Amino acid sequence: MKENEQWTYSKSGPDKTLSEPKNQPIQLDSCPQNGKNCATHRAKINECLVNSFHHFSHREYDFSINELKIAFDKTKELEKSTCTSCAKLFRTRITASMEQIHDELHKMTTGLFKSKRYKPSFEYATVIIQEFKENI
């Protein structure tokens, strides 16, 4: 498995517009079981990551976080089907995406141009990221 580097949850770069990448966030590169057990789970996880990215780009942060939570829960099902290395990789990728969203929300809720509007989403992201880290 490998991660697609285009998938970054950030609006703070030089080009503040986000365009959805055409590739899947997680692509099959090598799997101990040749992708037999994880193909359907990976498809659902990628769908959740795409949906999360879409919600993030439209400033629907709670929906974006929920999609990542669904994807994370899907990795638990995958682990039961003996593909633990893939499940661990997927959880790492999902947690990294959650950390990126958390960092963006932190930037928007602190500093000179802070907004109280995103504070509940930031707090929700904090709770979910702790949950993820406990279950990696």
Side-chain angles (χ1 to χ4, degrees):
M1 267 26 87
K2 64 181 180 178
E3 293 180 38
N4 187 336
E5 276 84 35
Q6 295 177 355
W7 283 83
T8 311
Y9 290 78
S10 179
K11 293 182 182 175
S12 60
D15 179 19
K16 296 192 184 224
T17 62
L18 291 174
S19 62
E20 292 188 32
K22 294 177 176 78
N23 298 330
Q24 296 295 312
I26 300 173
Q27 300 172 357
L28 186 64
D29 190 28
S30 65
C31 174
Q33 296 167 5
N34 297 323
K36 293 176 185 174
N37 291 340
C38 62
T40 57
H41 289 83
R42 183 173 52 90
K44 177 61 178 167
I45 290 167
N46 277 333
E47 180 185 332
C48 288
L49 286 168
V50 168
N51 291 341
S52 175
F53 186 87
H54 175 76
H55 289 302
F56 176 82
S57 63
H58 289 93
R59 296 181 183 257
E60 299 167 340
Y61 300 109
D62 288 346
F63 292 121
S64 180
I65 294 166
N66 286 335
E67 286 291 334
L68 290 177
K69 188 166 175 15
I70 291 167
F72 196 87
D73 291 341
K74 198 72 172 164
T75 65
K76 292 177 185 174
E77 293 174 24
L78 178 62
E79 195 167 59
K80 292 176 186 173
S81 69
T82 68
C83 211
T84 56
S85 61
C86 293
K88 190 172 187 176
L89 173 75
F90 295 161
R91 280 195 294 271
T92 302
R93 174 62 176 98
I94 293 164
T95 302
S97 296
M98 189 66 222
E99 288 172 344
Q100 291 172 346
I101 292 172
H102 184 262
D103 290 345
E104 285 294 316
L105 288 168
H106 179 70
K107 289 175 190 174
M108 291 188 289
T109 57
T110 58
L112 186 59
F113 299 108
K114 66 183 175 187
S115 173
K116 291 182 183 180
R117 175 179 163 193
Y118 300 113
K119 188 76 169 168
S121 294
F122 174 70
E123 291 169 352
Y124 181 47
T126 303
V127 168
I128 298 300
I129 205 164
Q130 288 295 3
E131 207 176 286
F132 284 2
K133 287 183 178 183
E134 289 172 5
N135 292 310
I136 286 185

